[in-house]
Amino acid sequence: MTGGIAPNLSGRVAPFSAQLSYRWQAKRHGIITKAVHEEGGKIALQILHAGRYAYHPFCVAPSRKKSPISLFTPWPLPRWGIKKTIRDFVNCARLAQEGGYDGVEIMGSEGYLINEFISATTNKRRDDYGGAYKNRIRLALEIVEKTREAVGKNFILIFRLSMLDLIQGGSNFFEVIELAQALEKCGVDLLNTGIGWHEARVPTIASMVPRAAFTWATKRLKSHVKVPLITTNRINDPWVADQLLREGHADMVSMARPFLADPHFVKKAREGREREINTCIACNQACLDHIFERKEATCLVNPYAARETIILKKKTSAPKKIAVIGAGPAGLSFACEAAEQGHQVEIFESKAKLGGQFNLALQIPGKSEFKECLRYFQSLLSSHNVPIHYGRQVVAQDFQGKEYDLIVLATGITPRRPDFEGIGHAKVLSYLDVLEGHHEVGKRVAIIGAGGIGFDVAHFLTSVNNEEGAFLQQWGISPDEQLRGGLVEKPAAWFSPREVYLLQRKEEKVGARLGKTTGWIHRSVLSKKKVVMLSGVTYDKIDDRGLHITRSGKKQLLEVDNIIICAGQNPCDDLKVPLQSLGFRVEVIGGAKEARELDAKMAILEGTLLAQSLA
Ligand code: FAD
Ligand code: NAP
Ligand code: SF4
């Protein structure tokens, strides 16, 4: 399935987004369809009209109602505009056929144009495309009916149906059934599942969403239609996909991000090599966040994604003997790539296991997927027979007299400790003390530093075991068939075992620099847990009573049992100079090189790039 391609100008997601309306464009699609067919695949083009979500002033919708996440107020589509839009969908489908596609998917979910017509919240029309439900679904049905007429029988027609709107006033389940059955009559071959409008304040694909959390919404439709159903959202491994099919949740499973993480996913699964799959950890950091930052989408765990012609995999003709110090993501990605090229690599790691800070990250609720990344690295290291010397806190003298062509320093970071009165008090802990479980933490806590780690520690301290099982209930989602949008009106309050303050010195909103597509979730979770988030804080002192701060010129005492330092990190590169003075070529990567704003995306990319730079 391609990404969404607009059937006309007003339907483009953004001014320069893809549109398929002319024959010359269809020809160019032939490059992709041919490549897919040569590999034995089938390919469908998704026709997406962005409706009021479009980021341009020509956006249209059923009614003049701006979405809460849009810049532009839409133009209400006149009746002739609706008829033209239907013709544009049909034209797009026929051009897709000419371009060699095997089918099209009509995007009818996620809050885009067709979905906006379906919901009474966004459709306030008084003509025969508004009012009663049968009128609001008219656009969807006419598009499908006319498309089927135009493309004939031997062309796959998929409709992406919003099975759970996750907005107040969305469709209830009986309406979903009515639409599904009507679409079936109009000639769809397959119904795909849409979960949540983009403006929904419920996470639907981020890592904190448990795997396959929404497939029940597809399953309950199964007995009401004859056409096969496709299920989706947070399905990232073949075992889960297989189980869903066996348990009858759907007839097919759809994934997108997992193929960025590993383009060979299907092949490996088919050949029984599941453990070799590089699993998507649902972080959104290099795919969706990049798109919203107007950068090219790639993948945190697979830096080759969308850069396949830029970072080239090479085999060496002159193998080097290389020592890697540190088995965090930077050291691991380097070691795996260098070994694959044919270099002789060995790893020295001070801890008893590989992974570096990933072992801390996976303690955080909703981040357990990080363990998949470590499983993948482990499987690559085994397949290339890379030795790992665990429990080896390397000092430069260990390498005296050794013969290495290159030493790669991937020793990570040391946590930064701010310097003010009372910082040595027994109440003060570092995030390492907390996440490595070395210390009990009291009921009232202040966290100094509200970066990614401060947020994660706040989430960790305000959570109880087994919260994943409560995901639907926490976010107010219910399978009650009567409920509009699948949401209860008043979700139960969230429980927190602690009172937490999350503090930063900057004046800006706390969490303003978190990921574009996940920051709002982190802020929302902490708000629901009643974490007090304060910006513009000056730290005065710590004593037996707690943390003394000044804010907007006012002195304040936070009476807390513990103060946890999450104030960023410094590079841990002490070995560089001593190793160089022993005559070694030393390359530094990851946190050891630059700790500021270093995240796993950068660490893995740096490891990969250094390996590929070796001749
Ligand atoms: P590290 O992961 O720190 O690895 C360094 C390794 O070197 C360690 O295993 C260490 O034991 C070893 N070592 C150090 N000195 C020696 C020595 N002398 N001899 C032998 N071995 C040595 N990033 C993201 O992108 N997304 C996230 O969601 C995310 N969440 C996080 C959550 C938490 C709680 C934490 C703590 C970090 C998180 N990060 C996240 C940051 C990410 O984990 C780091 O950016 C990344 O691990 C840095 O990789 P690295 O290999 O440079 O260093
Ligand atoms: P960070 O994001 O740089 O945040 C450090 C925090 O400490 C800031 O809030 C900063 O705010 C504060 N601070 C800095 N110096 C201080 C000082 N001297 N005294 C008091 N406060 C100070 O670093 P991090 O939270 O340690 O995270 C490390 C890396 O891991 C980052 O690159 C981050 O992106 C990544 N990470 C990502 C995620 C994720 O979910 N994507 C999660 C965890 C970590 P003020 O200066 O305003 O006080
Ligand atoms: Fe998955 Fe993260 Fe890669 Fe996106 S960047 S495909 S969410 S692992």
Side-chain angles (χ1 to χ4, degrees):
M1 189 77 66
T2 65
I5 293 181
N8 57 26
L9 189 71
S10 63
R12 289 188 185 191
V13 175
F16 296 103
S17 301
Q19 177 185 341
L20 175 57
S21 303
Y22 307 103
R23 212 159 240 168
W24 61 268
Q25 293 171 318
K27 248 189 175 173
R28 291 170 60 183
H29 284 257
I31 301 169
I32 289 170
T33 54
K34 184 165 171 274
V36 172
H37 290 148
E38 278 170 6
E39 292 293 324
K42 297 222 177 290
I43 180 163
L45 175 133
Q46 185 187 77
I47 312 180
L48 180 151
H49 190 300
R52 68 179 192 157
Y53 283 161
Y55 280 107
H56 54 69
F58 311 112
C59 61
V60 296
S63 307
R64 194 177 162 72
K65 217 170 163 239
K66 190 160 90 76
S67 97
I69 56 167
S70 298
L71 281 182
F72 300 96
T73 303
W75 300 94
L77 261 180
R79 219 185 131 72
W80 64 262
I82 294 179
K83 297 293 175 197
K84 181 177 177 303
T85 303
I86 296 169
R87 287 198 301 276
D88 291 341
F89 266 89
V90 174
N91 177 47
C92 186
R94 286 182 58 170
L95 290 172
Q97 208 171 15
E98 276 186 40
Y101 286 96
D102 302 285
V104 288
E105 174 175 86
I106 291 167
M107 168 51 96
S109 64
E110 328 302 288
Y112 292 118
L113 183 80
I114 295 178
N115 215 177
E116 288 159 17
F117 267 85
I118 295 168
S119 170
T121 346
T122 39
N123 183 344
K124 304 288 179 196
R125 303 177 72 93
R126 299 221 179 116
D127 59 7
D128 51 355
Y129 287 93
Y133 188 65
K134 71 173 175 28
N135 286 347
R136 302 201 308 270
I137 61 176
R138 193 183 302 277
L139 175 67
L141 300 182
E142 287 186 3
I143 288 173
V144 170
E145 202 174 14
K146 297 214 156 45
T147 303
R148 173 54 81 206
E149 271 168 31
V151 296
K153 273 192 189 154
N154 292 328
F155 192 65
I156 305 166
L157 189 47
I158 311 166
F159 188 87
R160 183 109 184 238
L161 172 63
S162 186
M163 299 207 190
L164 211 52
D165 289 336
L166 300 180
I167 55 154
Q168 294 296 343
S171 298
N172 65 27
F173 182 54
F174 302 113
E175 290 169 338
V176 172
I177 299 174
E178 187 181 329
L179 177 54
Q181 292 177 340
L183 288 164
E184 198 172 21
K185 277 198 196 122
C186 289
V188 293
D189 296 306
L190 287 159
L191 286 171
N192 194 0
T193 305
I195 301 289
W197 289 33
H198 287 316
E199 68 204 62
R201 299 326 275 165
V202 176
T204 53
I205 59 166
S207 62
M208 64 167 48
V209 178
R211 287 181 178 184
F214 294 105
T215 57
W216 55 269
T218 318
K219 187 179 183 186
R220 66 180 180 175
L221 187 63
K222 266 202 78 94
S223 59
H224 299 279
V225 287
K226 290 190 200 68
V227 290
L229 300 185
I230 307 171
T231 197
T232 179
N233 283 52
R234 282 292 281 120
I235 302 166
N236 62 345
D237 96 359
W239 286 288
V240 175
D242 195 41
Q243 191 181 352
L244 292 170
L245 297 181
R246 274 190 283 110
E247 290 177 358
H249 288 235
D251 305 282
M252 294 170 77
V253 161
S254 136
M255 304 176 202
R257 295 173 299 171
F259 300 131
L260 275 180
D262 195 333
H264 302 295
F265 183 107
V266 173
K267 189 165 189 274
K268 288 178 183 172
R270 186 188 282 150
E271 292 171 1
R273 296 191 289 130
E274 298 90 341
R275 289 193 64 74
E276 293 171 32
I277 290 176
N278 196 359
T279 304
C280 163
I281 59 172
C283 64
N284 284 359
Q285 285 177 241
C287 51
L288 279 180
D289 283 353
H290 272 208
I291 291 172
F292 283 92
E293 290 159 11
R294 298 188 181 276
K295 294 183 198 160
E296 224 161 64
T298 174
C299 175
L300 179 142
V301 299
N302 173 25
Y304 290 99
R307 297 178 178 130
E308 293 87 350
T309 55
I310 301 166
I311 319 176
L312 298 175
K313 289 209 180 239
K314 295 173 214 144
K315 285 275 176 213
T316 183
S317 52
K320 292 184 170 43
K321 192 170 177 223
I322 304 172
V324 178
I325 309 177
L332 289 171
S333 68
F334 171 83
C336 292
E337 292 296 330
E340 200 172 329
Q341 281 176 35
H343 296 291
Q344 192 190 333
V345 183
E346 56 187 317
I347 304 179
F348 297 85
E349 166 56 50
S350 60
K351 296 266 164 52
K353 56 184 171 184
L354 55 74
Q357 293 174 65
F358 269 20
N359 291 305
L360 303 176
L362 58 83
Q363 313 284 337
I364 309 299
K367 287 201 172 176
S368 57
E369 290 285 1
F370 276 89
K371 70 176 183 310
E372 297 294 347
C373 194
L374 299 183
R375 183 260 309 142
Y376 173 70
F377 279 130
Q378 181 77 70
S379 104
L380 279 186
L381 294 176
S382 309
S383 68
H384 295 300
N385 297 317
V386 175
I388 312 181
H389 309 285
Y390 288 112
R392 286 283 298 275
Q393 174 76 33
V394 170
V395 291
Q397 285 67 28
D398 296 344
F399 283 77
Q400 187 127 34
K402 298 269 164 63
E403 285 181 8
Y404 287 104
D405 300 307
L406 171 65
I407 296 180
V408 175
L409 209 55
T411 39
I413 50 86
T414 45
R416 183 182 295 131
R417 197 171 166 87
D419 189 16
F420 62 93
E421 190 183 335
I423 196 74
H425 196 283
K427 281 174 182 279
V428 179
L429 304 175
S430 91
Y431 66 85
L432 295 181
D433 298 325
V434 177
L435 297 177
E436 287 176 349
H438 298 319
H439 286 268
E440 283 290 307
V441 179
K443 290 277 179 206
R444 291 163 308 161
V445 176
I447 298 174
I448 291 185
I453 293 180
F455 263 82
D456 276 357
V457 169
H459 194 175
F460 178 81
L461 291 173
T462 53
S463 301
V464 284
N465 285 341
N466 247 339
E467 264 188 17
E468 221 183 53
F471 172 81
L472 295 180
Q473 187 213 336
Q474 281 185 323
W475 290 92
I477 306 162
S478 163
D480 179 343
E481 299 177 349
Q482 311 275 355
L483 276 180
R484 299 222 148 266
L487 289 182
V488 298
E489 240 173 69
K490 283 196 184 142
W494 291 37
F495 169 75
S496 164
R498 290 188 180 80
E499 258 174 58
V500 173
Y501 295 90
L502 180 59
L503 313 171
Q504 72 178 26
R505 298 170 303 174
K506 287 188 278 296
E507 291 285 353
E508 69 191 27
K509 183 169 83 173
V510 174
R513 295 173 195 217
L514 297 176
K516 286 255 185 228
T517 61
T518 51
W520 69 271
I521 307 174
H522 294 297
R523 286 190 296 272
S524 173
V525 167
L526 295 196
S527 301
K528 287 170 193 286
K529 300 262 187 187
K530 302 214 166 22
V531 170
V532 180
M533 295 178 250
L534 302 178
S535 53
V537 172
T538 304
Y539 307 110
D540 298 330
K541 65 172 179 178
I542 295 168
D543 61 20
D544 291 346
R545 292 161 67 207
L547 174 64
H548 298 256
I549 61 170
T550 304
R551 222 177 142 238
S552 310
K554 283 195 191 135
K555 300 245 173 242
Q556 209 178 325
L557 167 65
L558 307 181
E559 292 182 56
V560 292
D561 308 312
N562 289 110
I563 292 103
I564 298 167
I565 308 296
C566 303
Q569 306 165 328
N570 294 320
C572 174
D573 60 355
D574 312 352
L575 289 172
K576 183 179 174 186
V577 175
L579 285 170
Q580 281 173 334
S581 35
L582 288 174
F584 291 108
R585 174 185 165 198
V586 180
E587 296 285 350
V588 188
I589 54 173
K593 182 175 171 196
E594 170 64 271
R596 202 167 56 94
E597 295 191 0
L598 186 276
D599 59 7
K601 180 177 72 174
M602 188 55 81
I604 292 176
L605 176 65
E606 277 184 11
T608 306
L609 290 179
L610 176 62
Q612 295 308 340
S613 73
L614 301 177

